[in-house]
Amino acid sequence: MKQTVNIERAIPSNWDRSGLPGWAYFSEDLFNLEQEVLFRKHWQMVGHVNAIREVGSYITLDIANERALIIRGSDGRVRAFHNLCRHRGSRVVVDERGKCNKSIVCPYHGWTYGLDGSNRGIARKETFPKMDRDTVGLVPLNMEIWHGFIFVKFKDSTQVSVKEIMARFDHEIIDYQLDEMIPVLESEWSEIIAVNWKSVRDVDNEGYHVKQAHPGLEELYGQTYNDEPFYNGTSRSVGVFNTKPSKRWSVRNYLKLLPKVEKLSLESQNRWLYAGMFPNLVFGFYPDSVIYYMEIPISATQTMQRGGVLRYPDETRAIKIARYLSGRIDRDTAKEDQMLTV
């Protein structure tokens, strides 16, 4: 959806550039510029291929006034399209996830598309001028699958691939076998908060506040937690588990009950590793699971936070219990962070 952005209005000439001023968190002009420059031109993560394992299954993502549809075709291939009918721009699927039987039917006027995006039928075709159906299929999106995670980009840019951006983490995450992990649908979450998306990134990108604001994380790994400098579009933070006994029930039992995961290195077994990707995505690599969370800006003062969890395909009961406990710790942390931003 095309939108004109006035850069001169978005960035006042008297900005001294020593840091982000207060207006940057409230300006709708700057927000519109961010939508164009940051979110439409950078990779956005939609979900995992194992969330759409069946033919016709799909997931969607709405962000920056754009709509993405990811669907598995009859040939087993995963494809990405703009979730827009070629007739009137209506969504061709309206749900966040679902399954189409053999074809995609626009709910507005009934135009029909194959699972490969090709136009298969135009309702009341005789009322239209002659047209070539090959030219009115769904419009493809730039798509990349990285270790099973599906990324799309709405506008072309000179930006490098996700594989290149995240290459620095390859040696640390290979043992997780991410492309085989299973999304835990009941653990997916989203919440709208009344704050600018950058406020969420600000609090998440630094661990200076962990000791003061996150007692659970402080007891889990606070003595060792380290944020590394931002590097080539990525951030890396790591916390090695503390050896001192914890007073908090969830942390104490997590460390007590967490079993050895044979596929992981000793280093990965004893830490939480966070890998961030500019502008709005973070992965968390835990011994028991892999998590992700991201911000979807709605306006200059409203943001949707969205996240999920992936489990091992051979998850044992002991690992499932540990995953439940790590989730408790994360939920407490998220609530504590929200108190610092709203």
Side-chain angles (χ1 to χ4, degrees):
M1 298 181 181
K2 190 173 181 180
Q3 187 170 11
T4 301
V5 177
N6 188 322
I7 296 179
E8 292 183 357
R9 285 180 57 194
I11 304 178
S13 58
N14 62 350
W15 177 29
D16 66 9
R17 300 182 184 274
S18 61
L20 283 181
W23 60 260
Y25 295 83
F26 299 93
S27 168
E28 289 293 341
D29 288 314
L30 180 59
F31 173 79
N32 291 332
L33 179 61
E34 292 168 344
Q35 297 283 82
E36 176 67 13
V37 176
L38 300 183
F39 294 97
R40 298 187 192 112
K41 292 185 178 180
H42 283 76
W43 293 106
Q44 295 296 322
M45 201 277 288
V46 183
H48 195 276
V49 292
N50 288 333
I52 51 171
R53 287 186 287 185
E54 297 182 18
V55 169
S57 57
Y58 66 82
I59 49 179
T60 63
L61 174 69
D62 289 7
I63 189 170
N65 293 326
E66 300 282 359
R67 300 168 178 170
L69 164 65
I70 314 298
I71 190 166
R72 189 175 290 274
S74 303
D75 56 1
R77 283 182 57 191
V78 174
R79 296 177 175 86
F81 302 100
H82 288 273
N83 186 14
L84 299 171
C85 181
R86 296 301 301 278
H87 176 218
R88 292 288 294 275
S90 173
R91 301 173 191 264
V92 290
V93 299
V94 298
D95 297 321
E96 293 182 3
R97 66 175 64 251
K99 184 178 179 182
C100 296
N101 294 318
K102 297 184 179 180
S103 62
I104 305 166
V105 181
C106 176
Y108 197 173
H109 295 101
W111 280 39
T112 304
Y113 302 89
L115 301 182
D116 61 356
S118 60
N119 190 296
R120 296 290 180 84
I122 298 173
R124 298 182 61 191
K125 184 178 179 181
E126 71 281 359
T127 65
F128 290 86
K130 186 176 180 180
M131 67 178 76
D132 182 358
R133 287 195 318 198
D134 290 341
T135 65
V136 287
L138 298 179
V139 178
L141 272 174
N142 294 312
M143 183 188 77
E144 183 177 345
I145 298 176
W146 175 78
H147 292 290
F149 287 97
I150 305 165
F151 289 78
V152 297
K153 187 165 51 172
F154 294 99
K155 287 198 172 182
D156 246 336
S157 68
T158 57
Q159 186 184 356
V160 296
S161 67
V162 177
K163 181 180 179 180
E164 292 173 287
I165 296 170
M166 300 294 284
R168 65 183 292 211
F169 302 109
D170 283 347
H171 70 287
E172 296 186 285
I173 66 175
I174 189 170
D175 291 342
Y176 288 88
Q177 300 171 3
L178 294 176
D179 56 340
E180 297 179 8
M181 295 191 79
I182 308 298
V184 183
L185 298 185
E186 61 268 25
S187 294
E188 292 184 352
W189 59 273
S190 64
E191 183 176 4
I192 295 177
I193 57 175
V195 68
N196 185 276
W197 72 276
K198 294 188 293 299
S199 294
V200 183
R201 280 292 89 231
D202 287 345
V203 76
D204 189 69
N205 280 344
E206 55 94 343
Y208 182 44
H209 70 287
V210 168
K211 184 176 180 62
Q212 177 70 22
H214 299 311
L217 295 187
E218 174 65 13
E219 292 191 14
L220 179 64
Y221 57 54
Q223 298 170 31
T224 66
Y225 187 69
N226 180 51
D227 287 316
E228 296 182 4
F230 191 76
Y231 176 78
N232 283 357
T234 61
S235 60
R236 181 183 182 276
S237 304
V238 62
V240 178
F241 297 154
N242 294 329
T243 56
K244 292 176 60 177
S246 173
K247 299 177 182 178
R248 298 178 71 85
W249 182 89
S250 55
V251 177
R252 182 176 67 254
N253 283 285
Y254 177 67
L255 295 175
K256 176 183 176 181
L257 300 175
L258 177 65
K260 182 179 180 181
V261 182
E262 296 294 340
K263 70 179 69 178
L264 297 182
S265 67
L266 181 62
E267 187 178 38
S268 296
Q269 178 73 43
N270 291 287
R271 71 181 185 186
W272 282 9
L273 169 69
Y274 300 95
M277 180 175 164
F278 184 83
N280 62 326
L281 174 66
V282 176
F283 292 105
F285 296 93
Y286 302 170
D288 55 280
S289 59
V290 172
I291 70 162
Y292 66 86
Y293 53 93
M294 60 189 293
E295 296 81 49
I296 299 179
I298 297 174
S299 71
T301 56
Q302 221 177 19
T303 301
M304 174 185 287
Q305 293 183 284
R306 169 179 175 259
V309 179
L310 287 92
R311 64 171 177 83
Y312 298 118
D314 55 351
E315 181 181 65
T316 64
R317 182 173 183 272
I319 294 178
K320 185 175 182 179
I321 292 171
R323 175 164 62 82
Y324 164 77
L325 292 168
S326 68
R328 279 182 59 119
I329 298 168
D330 269 339
R331 286 191 293 274
D332 289 343
T333 302
K335 292 177 182 177
E336 291 157 358
D337 272 342
Q338 283 191 14
M339 291 175 60
L340 302 176
T341 57
V342 297

